[in-house]
Structure formats: structure tokens, C-alpha cells
């Protein structure tokens, strides 16, 4: 018993002594975390260089675009063929993907030998051989008539220009077929297939084996966005933001980038980490100076690295008592599979003795311990270097996601990773240590790159079909110039119907007279009170207008809330509340004793009989105060002022907010004779010739007409332009059948149109994996402000996803692209329809004035016009195209409705004064 204990003690001491000796000898192969993080930083710098248009040529990482834009999302289905060419065996698979309760994949495969004379012969012969094998496979599986989509795994360095166009850069892995380098391998294969003439093929995608690995794992885990090969060779790919890939046009979405990381360090950036053994390996390789990182970490070279170390240590008398055999000196005699066997925890030392003995050596127990530790150091260094570069990719993904905690999956394949007893566990542990703020899952690829090629094809097939269906759904929103001209012409007809006495009552565009006869001329002067009622908040303003050289407008205002019970109570209660607010404001301003002229902005539909009288047609915006509809709102205000007996006011003008906008801009720009509101609602006004306004007497001069154009189409004249989604939004609105034009182009409804399109697309499986969330079912959840945010050019898709997640919509990157396209299409149509209406107005003014060319300014207000990133530009462009004989300047109104009411009052007071002085 004591003897056995002494033996164990002796062996442990021997082992510890040997380990320390080897550690000291191979110190340069051991890396601390600080060194690994420095390698990560170097790798990230090379990634950035490789992505840049001006720096990619000098980068050791090629960062090749693969044109794979999406990973599987679980909705792929179909029947596909995959070709896998990358070694002496050529594999063909038939992959059936069915989608019932869950995705099911069925695979059938055939392996074909690729003879040495074909591998190293003519390129034509190689592709003829591939076409022949494919023909045999199609014949055996009786699928000649199906013309199945094909994915082609081509595991050699290529320059891709499309998903189905890939030019071979250089052969590797003993392949030397002539006439192929620099050629498109898809074209070569298509030529070979065509030459046979007995079947047709549709090659949809060419992929690298690393990409195939990512896509294979991506089928099982939709979070997989990194693929790594750690086998005979090594490489990695990952999903990069398209906006960062300079060599590919476009900046929306993502694309898989093949890093070709085996070449990391070819520029000398790893020289301080390479040992004399690495230098010797490189010097004796087929490609000196290239793939330096791969030569430090991959299965092709690790065994040879160990052999070179053993030779040197033996020569220095540190191993095998200084004995060296011819076998030990023979390149390739110590393989990476030997390294894996020796590192096994239980039988490793016995394996070491056996392997070394076959090399003609007579290893002692001490030698076996030393060799086992050498193997561990070499494989551990490989682990550490791969972990450091993979950490660089993971950090890049995290940065692309704006610092959010990264949760992702890495798909891995390769013999070294699979077969080495410690490799996978060590790699996982080191990566997680280097990127502690990331949740990483490692997923082993079970079916290899062949299934991955089929998955790339399935995704491409899904995206193509998806794109076709989306284009069909959105096609009705994409209006041609001819269609917009037709909208303009119909608006002109409805404008005329509203102006004519005989058709006014049935006209949908009412063309209401406002009794505003002039725009400001700059001589207005005085202090005026303005009221602004149009929502749950009510504003009272003091506007001081000064004329002369120092012309100015000074404003003071207070905002008062209108409680719901007042909005929906009696008319007397509402107007008493308004007067109470005015009283408070006059106290605040110290002007209660002054009888000020007042302009009342009242943003509800009224039939005006004079400038200071207007009959309320109907309440909107949540107001339901009784005894007001059909009454003169100015009289109701005057009655309420009398009831207080606290102050007196001279109510001069009742003003619509659109007219107020025009007047505000006209004060700054005399050519402004049109007003436009493009916000929650939509409306326009303009200065019409009195002779054309048949509803009122007089034919001299001009009067501002409030078009109330939101009702355009209420008579059915726009039905051929309305989509099923417009009908849905209208049917579920508070006023079905009314304000149809407004419902197609105003901020209150655009979000709801988008929401209904998204529901339809989700039902068809085009969005959100076909799952309609409760939030998406909620009417009004998709506010128009989200359209503005989503369509912002400055907003990355990650932020779009964040907005959608805020709305309870769990979206992928692909979903975000589609949602952005839907938002853009809906808002573009809105801007174009608004532009068509405005083109009708300015052309009418031009014809009224009988001029060949009109210069005019439009005063504009409204949140949609102000805040949407593209609405104003598209609307301006539409007006320019549809009214080419008009030069239209758009002037943004600052505080239109309040200031405008005061200016209308000031103009009315000026005109009244001029009339009295005559």
C-alpha cells in the first residue's frame, strides 16, 4: 500500500516537473487574457478595413459579401437540391422542407467520387463531371420534370457579385482544374448542364461552406448569425449591417460576410505572436506568407507544429534522451488526430507511448507526460486564438446592435472542433470569458454545408416569393403620373361643383366662403386678442402687431385645458368655460378694462354667413356639447361674455385654422394666397375670384375659400383609387363614408392603414412568422408618429426593431425592412395625393388670372408636413410634375392658427377703418 502511494507521489512529482519544464520552453505559446483581448482589438481593426471600399485591398481580412441577406425564419418550405463540392467526394442532396405544425426536413443524398485526373485536369471536364453526377441524381430520384431550385456549396475562395454569381479567386485543397480561376462557376456549371440537354436546372445560390454551416444551424435556431469552421482549415462568417459593407450598394438590412479569417496576420500584424515553429511551418507550406492565422490554429497544421517542437527538444536533449528517428524527421508523420488521441484524459498517456513508438522512439513515462503537455499547449493556443477572433465578431455584432446585451448563437462545424476531446469546452469557456456581456449559445452543425446550401436556396426562394406577394399588396398604393393627373382633374371638377350654386348642395368639396377678402399689406397695427379652439386644449393669445420700418408681431399666450365633461356637456357650459379662461388671461395681462378686437380660430366645419358669423355644421374631435350644432358660434361666445358682465370684446372674425395659416405666411410673404394643413387632418384654402363664388353676391375682388377638401371622394369619385385597406379604415372610423380623401392622406389615419396592411401580410405569413400579436390587433396602436420615426434616413433597422418591440411586435431584421417599406409606400401615396390636390388649386388660380406662368406661395402647417422625413419633398415634387406652369414656393407657418386669427382681425379692422374714413 505504501509502495503504491509512493509510486503515485513519484509520478505526480514527475508530471509536475515535466509540465513546468515544458511551460517554460513553450512560454511564447501561452497567452493571458490581456494578450487575447489585444488580438481581438487587432482583429476588429482588420474587419473595419476589410469592409471599407478604400481600405479593403490592404486588409488581411477580405470580408467578402456573400449576398445572403437573411437567415431562416421558420417559414421556409419547398423541395430543393444541394450540391457540395469541396474535396475528393462530391455530394448531392435532395432536401424537402415541409411546414405543418413545425418545420420538418427530409434529406436524401448520394456521394460521387471526383477522380484525381478531373481535379487537376481541365475546368470543362470538372463541370461536365458535376453536371453528369447531377443528371444521374435527378434520374435516380425521378425529379427530371420538377426543375427544383439548386443551392451550390463551393468551398473555395470566390468573389461574389450576386447570390447566384461567383468568380473563383484561386483553387485550394489540391484542386488545380485549369481555366476556372477568374470565371463565374455558376455560368460554367450552367454551360455544362445546357450542353447535356437532358434536364434543366435553376441554380439560385452559391455559398461557402462556412455560410452553409451558419444557415444549417440557423434552421434549428433562428438566433444563429455566426458560422465557424474549425477543421482541416478554418474560417468564419457573420451577419453584418449592410450600411457598413461599402462594396455592396444599399444600406438597409443585413448581409452575411465571409471573413476569410485564415489570412489574418498575412500583413504582419501577428508577427510578435508567431514562434519559430510557425515560421518553419509556413516556410515549408504550399503557400508561404499566406493563411498565417490558419497555420497557427487549424487541423491541417497542429500535428506538424507538435512534430517540429518534438524534433527541436530532442535535438537539445530535452526529450527521448536526445534520440531522433527518420520517422520523427518525416513531415506529416505526426497528425492532428494523434494530438487529439494523446490529449484524452484517461488513455492519453498510453496513446502517447503507442504513437511515439510507431515513430521509432522508445519514450519514457517522463517523455509521454511531456508530449501530452506539448499537445495541450498547441491545441490550447489554437483555442485561444480562435476565441479571440470570434470575440471580435461577437463584439462587432453587439456594437451593431447599439450596445444592447447580445444574445446570439454560433453555428460550428469542423473535425478539430468535433473530434478533439477538450477543444469545444475550452473554446466556449474562453469566449464567454472574453465577452462576458454576451449570451452565447454554441450549436454543432449536424448536417454540414450541403443542408446549408439548401437552406440558403430556401431562404432565397422564400424572399423572392415574399417580395412578389408584398409588391402585389402594395401595388395599389403606387400611383403613376397618369393616375395622379386623374386625381388632380377630378379635384378640379369637385372644386367647380362646390363653387357653383346649382351643384353646391350635392358637392363633396364644399368650397365655403370665409369672408376674408384681403391678405395683410404690412400696414396693420394694434393689439388683438385671439382664441384657438380645436382640441382638448384651448389657447388665448395677446398679439401685438406693429407696422412701419420696425414691423413686428409680439405674442403672449396661455393654454387652458377643457375637461371631457365640459366638451361633452351643454353648449352654455362650454362657452362659459371659454369666457372664464379669457377672463383669467385678461387679468394675467392686466387688460380687462380694454375692449380688444378678437379673432376666433374655430377648427370645426362651419357655414359662414359673414366674417363674424358661422353656423356650426357638426362637432368632431371628441366634442359633443349640446345646443351648438346649427347655431352661430360667434353669437354663443358673445352671449357667454354678456353673462359674465366682467369685460367686453369686439368679436371681429371667425377663422378656420387653414385660413389662419395662409394669413400668417402672407404677413411674411405677400405672394402667399394659399393655405394648407397637412397634419392630423388635411385641408386647404385659397384666394378665389369673387365672380366664381356663386353662393355669395358680388363679383369684384377676391375672397378666401375654405375648401374642406378632406371630403373629396365622399361621392364615390375616388373609389377606383381606394384600396381594401382604405375601406377597412373608413368602415371602423367614427364617421364612415365621410372625409375619404382625408383618410387617405392625413396623419390621423396613415398609421391605421399601415396596421391593417401589416395584419394582412402577417395572415399571409409574410411578417412576424405569421403570428398576429394582440397589440397588432389593437386599433390606433400604430400612430403616424411611428411612420415618421421608422422612415427616418438616420434610423438604423435596429432602432426600427426597437420601435416595433415597443409596440409589442417581436420583429426580425427582415420584418423591419418590410415594415419600413410599407410605411414608405403609404406615406408616399399620402404625399402624392396631397400634391395632386394642391396642383389642382394652383392651376385653378393660374387659369383664373389668365397667365401662362404663375409664381405663388403656399403657407403650410401640420405635424405630418413638419415632422415626416419625406412627406414635404414628395409633395413638392408631385405639385411640380402635375402643375408645370406654376412655380410654387412652400412657406412653413410658425404658430399659424393663433397669429393668423389676429392678423385676419387686424386686416378686418384696417379695412373697416378705411371704409369709415371715406
Amino acid at each position: 500500500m505504501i509502495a503504491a502511494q509512493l509510486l503515485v507521489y513519484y509520478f505526480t512529482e514527475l508530471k509536475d516537473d515535466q509540465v513546468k519544464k515544458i511551460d517554460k520552453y513553450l512560454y511564447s505559446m501561452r497567452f493571458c487574457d490581456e494578450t487575447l483581448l489585444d488580438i481581438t482589438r487587432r482583429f476588429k481593426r482588420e474587419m473595419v478595413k476589410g469592409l471599407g471600399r478604400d481600405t479593403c485591398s490592404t486588409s488581411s481580412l477580405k470580408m467578402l459579401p456573400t449576398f445572403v441577406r437573411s437567415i431562416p425564419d421558420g417559414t421556409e418550405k419547398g423541395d430543393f437540391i444541394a450540391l457540395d463540392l469541396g474535396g475528393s467526394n462530391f455530394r448531392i442532396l435532395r432536401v424537402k422542407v415541409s411546414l405543418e405544425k413545425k418545420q420538418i426536413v427530409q434529406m436524401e443524398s448520394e456521394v460521387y467520387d471526383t477522380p484525381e485526373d478531373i481535379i487537376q485536369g481541365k475546368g470543362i471536364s470538372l463541370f461536365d463531371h458535376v453536371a453528369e453526377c447531377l443528371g444521374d441524381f435527378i434520374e435516380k430520384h425521378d425529379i427530371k420534370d420538377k426543375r427544383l431550385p439548386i443551392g451550390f456549396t463551393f468551398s473555395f475562395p470566390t468573389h461574389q457579385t450576386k447570390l447566384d454569381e461567383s468568380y473563383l479567386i484561386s483553387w485550394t485543397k489540391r484542386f488545380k482544374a485549369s481555366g476556372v480561376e477568374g470565371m463565374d462557376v455558376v455560368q460554367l456549371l450552367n454551360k455544362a448542364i445546357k450542353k447535356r440537354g437532358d434536364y434543366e436546372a435553376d441554380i439560385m445560390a452559391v455559398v461557402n461552406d462556412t455560410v452553409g454551416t451558419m444557415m444549417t444551424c440557423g434552421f434549428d435556431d433562428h438566433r444563429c448569425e455566426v458560422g465557424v469552421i474549425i477543421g482541416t482549415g478554418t474560417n468564419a462568417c457573420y451577419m453584418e449591417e449592410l450600411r457598413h459593407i461599402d462594396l455592396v450598394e444599399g444600406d438597409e438590412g443585413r448581409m452575411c460576410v465571409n471573413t476569410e479569417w485564415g489570412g489574418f496576420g498575412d500583413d504582419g500584424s501577428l508577427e510578435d505572436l508567431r514562434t519559430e515553429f510557425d515560421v518553419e511551418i509556413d516556410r515549408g507550406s504550399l503557400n508561404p506568407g499566406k493563411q498565417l492565422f490558419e497555420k497557427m490554429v487549424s487541423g491541417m497544421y497542429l500535428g506538424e507544429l507538435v512534430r517540429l517542437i518534438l524534433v527541436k527538444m530532442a535535438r537539445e536533449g530535452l526529450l527521448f534522451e536526445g534520440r531522433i528517428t527518420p520517422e520523427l524527421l518525416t513531415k506529416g508523420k505526426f497528425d492532428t488526430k494523434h494530438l487529439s488521441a494523446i490529449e484524452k484524459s484517461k488513455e492519453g498517456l498510453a496513446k502517447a507511448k503507442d504513437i511515439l513508438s510507431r515513430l521509432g522512439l522508445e519514450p519514457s513515462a517522463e517523455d509521454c507526460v511531456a508530449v501530452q503537455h506539448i499537445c495541450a499547449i498547441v491545441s490550447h493556443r489554437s483555442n485561444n486564438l480562435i476565441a479571440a477572433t470570434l470575440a471580435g465578431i461577437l463584439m462587432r455584432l453587439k456594437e451593431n446592435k447599439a450596445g444592447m446585451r447580445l444574445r446570439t448563437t454560433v453555428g460550428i462545424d469542423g473535425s478539430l472542433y468535433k473530434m478533439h476531446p477538450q477543444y469545444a469546452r475550452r473554446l466556449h469557456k474562453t469566449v464567454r470569458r472574453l465577452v462576458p456581456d454576451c449570451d452565447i449559445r454554441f450549436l454543432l452543425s449536424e448536417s454540414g454545408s450541403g443542408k446549408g446550401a439548401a437552406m440558403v436556396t430556401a431562404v432565397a426562394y422564400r424572399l423572392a416569393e415574399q417580395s412578389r406577394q408584398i409588391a402585389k399588396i402594395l401595388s395599389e398604393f403606387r400611383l403613376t403620373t397618369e393616375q395622379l393627373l386623374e386625381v388632380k382633374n377630378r379635384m378640379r371638377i369637385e372644386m367647380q361643383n362646390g363653387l357653383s350654386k346649382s351643384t353646391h348642395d350635392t358637392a363633396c368639396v364644399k368650397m365655403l366662403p370665409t369672408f376674408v377678402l384681403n391678405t395683410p399689406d404690412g400696414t396693420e397695427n394694434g393689439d388683438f386678442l385671439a382664441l384657438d379652439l380645436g382640441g382638448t386644449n384651448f389657447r388665448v393669445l395677446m398679439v401685438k402687431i406693429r407696422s412701419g420700418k420696425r414691423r413686428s408681431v409680439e405674442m403672449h399666450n396661455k393654454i387652458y385645458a377643457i375637461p371631457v365633461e365640459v366638451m361633452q356637456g351643454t353648449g352654455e357650459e362650454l362657452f362659459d368655460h371659454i369666457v372664464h379662461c379669457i377672463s383669467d388671461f385678461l387679468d394675467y395681462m392686466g387688460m380687462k378694462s380694454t375692449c380688444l378686437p378678437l379673432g376666433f380660430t374655430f377648427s370645426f366645419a362651419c357655414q359662414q354667413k359673414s366674417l363674424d358669423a358661422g353656423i356650426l355644421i357638426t362637432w368632431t374631435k371628441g366634442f359633443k356639447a349640446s345646443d351648438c350644432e346649427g347655431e352661430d358660434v360667434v353669437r354663443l361666445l358673445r352671449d357667454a361674455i354678456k353673462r359674465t358682465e366682467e369685460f367686453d370684446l369686439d368679436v371681429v372674425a371667425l377663422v378656420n385654422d387653414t385660413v389662419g395659416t395662409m394669413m400668417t405666411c402672407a404677413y411674411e410673404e405677400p405672394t402667399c394666397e394659399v393655405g394648407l394643413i397637412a397634419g392630423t387632418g388635411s385641408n386647404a384654402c385659397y384666394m378665389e375670384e369673387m365672380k366664381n363664388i356663386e353662393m355669395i353676391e358680388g363679383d369684384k375682388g377676391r375672397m378666401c375659400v375654405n375648401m374642406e377638401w378632406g371630403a373629396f371622394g365622399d361621392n364615390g369619385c375616388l373609389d377606383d383609387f381606394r384600396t381594401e385597406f382604405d375601406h377597412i379604415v373608413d368602415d371602423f372610423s367614427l364617421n364612415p363614408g365621410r372625409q375619404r380623401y382625408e383618410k387617405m392622406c392625413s396623419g390621423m389615419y396613415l398609421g391605421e392603414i399601415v396596421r391593417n396592411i401589416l395584419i394582412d401580410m402577417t395572415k399571409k405569413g409574410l411578417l412576424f412568422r405569421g403570428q398576429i400579436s394582440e397589440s397588432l390587433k389593437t386599433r390606433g396602436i400604430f400612430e403616424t408618429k411611428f411612420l415618421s420615426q421608422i422612415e427616418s434616413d438616420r434610423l438604423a433597422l435596429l432602432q426600427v426593431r426597437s420601435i416595433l418591440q415597443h409596440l409589442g411586435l417581436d420583429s426580425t431584421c427582415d420584418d423591419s425592412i418590410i415594415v419600413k417599406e410599407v410605411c414608405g409606400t403609404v406615406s408616399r401615396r399620402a404625399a402624392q395625393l396631397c400634391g395632386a390636390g394642391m396642383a389642382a388649386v394652383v392651376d385653378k388660380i393660374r387659369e383664373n388670372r389668365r397667365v401662362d406662368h404663375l409664381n405663388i406661395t403656399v403657407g403650410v402647417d401640420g405635424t405630418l408636413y413638419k415632422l415626416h422625413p419625406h412627406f414635404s419633398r414628395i409633395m413638392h415634387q408631385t405639385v411640380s410634375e402635375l402643375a408645370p406652369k406654376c412655380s410654387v414656393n412652400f412657406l412653413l407657418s410658425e404658430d399659424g392658427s393663433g397669429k393668423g386669427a389676429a392678423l385676419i382681425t387686424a386686416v378686418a379692422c384696417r379695412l373697416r377703418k378705411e371704409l369709415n374714413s371715406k
Side-chain angles (χ1 to χ4, degrees), residues 702-901:
R702 295 169 186 154
M703 180 183 287
C704 181
V705 168
N706 167 23
M707 294 178 65
E708 288 295 340
W709 79 3
F712 176 40
D714 287 4
N715 61 356
C717 68
L718 288 180
D719 282 0
D720 51 333
F721 291 101
R722 295 173 72 224
T723 67
E724 62 178 294
F725 307 106
D726 295 308
H727 284 282
I728 293 168
V729 169
D730 182 36
D731 290 344
F732 286 94
S733 69
L734 294 172
N735 54 349
R738 293 165 62 184
Q739 300 294 101
R740 289 178 176 176
Y741 181 65
E742 183 172 75
K743 287 169 185 171
M744 296 168 81
C745 65
S746 80
M748 180 175 278
Y749 302 99
L750 299 190
E752 193 59 10
I753 294 171
V754 167
R755 186 184 72 85
N756 280 284
I757 295 171
L758 300 186
I759 287 174
D760 183 63
M761 287 183 170
T762 306
K763 283 179 180 175
K764 290 173 178 171
L766 305 174
L767 269 178
F768 310 130
R769 299 188 181 94
Q771 304 297 313
I772 301 176
S773 66
E774 286 304 313
S775 58
L776 194 57
K777 295 176 187 173
T778 308
R779 200 170 298 126
I781 191 173
F782 209 101
E783 297 172 43
T784 298
K785 71 176 181 181
F786 295 129
L787 269 77
S788 297
Q789 292 170 4
I790 286 169
E791 288 188 67
S792 171
D793 293 330
R794 298 186 303 276
L795 209 61
L797 284 175
L798 180 70
Q799 291 162 292
V800 175
R801 287 180 72 182
S802 177
I803 291 167
L804 295 174
Q805 283 165 358
H806 173 71
L807 295 171
L809 303 171
D810 186 17
S811 71
T812 63
C813 181
D814 294 335
D815 290 335
S816 301
I817 293 171
I818 295 167
V819 170
K820 193 167 185 177
E821 183 183 2
V822 171
C823 290
T825 303
V826 170
S827 61
R828 182 178 183 81
R829 184 191 69 159
Q832 288 178 321
L833 287 173
C834 194
M838 185 49 60
V841 172
V842 295
D843 243 358
K844 173 87 165 72
I845 295 171
R846 183 186 63 79
E847 289 177 17
N848 283 347
R849 298 185 190 173
R850 297 178 182 176
V851 293
D852 290 332
H853 194 89
L854 176 72
N855 291 313
I856 196 164
T857 296
V858 177
V860 196
D861 203 353
T863 50
L864 188 57
Y865 183 90
K866 285 179 178 177
L867 301 178
H868 191 280
H870 307 300
F871 187 94
S872 59
R873 175 183 55 78
I874 296 166
M875 193 195 80
H876 297 171
Q877 184 181 340
T878 305
V879 174
S880 178
E881 288 174 2
L882 302 186
K885 294 182 179 180
C886 300
S887 296
V888 185
N889 173 42
F890 289 89
L891 183 61
L892 190 60
S893 168
E894 301 297 335
D895 193 40
S897 52
K899 183 177 172 183

Side-chain angles (χ1 to χ4, degrees), residues 530-542 556-562 577-578 581-582 584-585 588 895:
L531 311 181
D532 188 0
L533 178 67
T536 53
N537 290 327
F538 167 63
R539 239 177 7 139
V540 186
L541 305 92
M542 170 66 70
H556 304 273
N557 74 84
K558 280 187 82 172
I559 297 173
Y560 299 89
I562 302 180
H577 178 75
I578 289 170
C581 296
I582 297 169
D584 176 77
F585 182 77
Y588 170 70
D895 193 40

Side-chain angles (χ1 to χ4, degrees), residues 270-319:
L270 294 180
E271 280 309 297
D272 56 325
L273 302 173
R274 292 174 72 224
T275 65
E276 60 184 291
F277 309 109
D278 296 308
V279 172
E280 193 171 341
I281 285 266
D282 179 47
R283 194 185 299 126
S285 69
L286 293 171
N287 55 348
K290 293 181 178 180
Q291 299 295 99
L292 298 182
F293 180 73
E294 184 171 80
K295 289 166 185 172
M296 296 169 79
V297 301
S298 79
M300 183 175 278
Y301 301 99
L302 296 191
E304 185 63 9
L305 271 171
V306 170
R307 187 189 70 81
L308 292 174
I309 293 166
L310 298 184
V311 168
K312 185 175 184 193
M313 291 187 74
R315 279 179 175 153
E316 293 177 11
L318 300 173
L319 283 176

Side-chain angles (χ1 to χ4, degrees), residues 428-443:
H428 302 172
K429 187 176 178 182
T430 308
V431 169
R432 289 178 176 132
R433 200 170 66 244
L434 295 178
V435 283
D437 51 354
C438 299
D439 298 322
I440 312 300
R441 181 189 180 207
F442 293 88
L443 184 61

Side-chain angles (χ1 to χ4, degrees), residues 222-237:
H222 304 318
R223 290 187 184 276
C224 184
E225 50 190 341
V226 183
V228 179
I229 299 286
I230 312 171
T232 309
T234 185
N235 194 14
C237 67

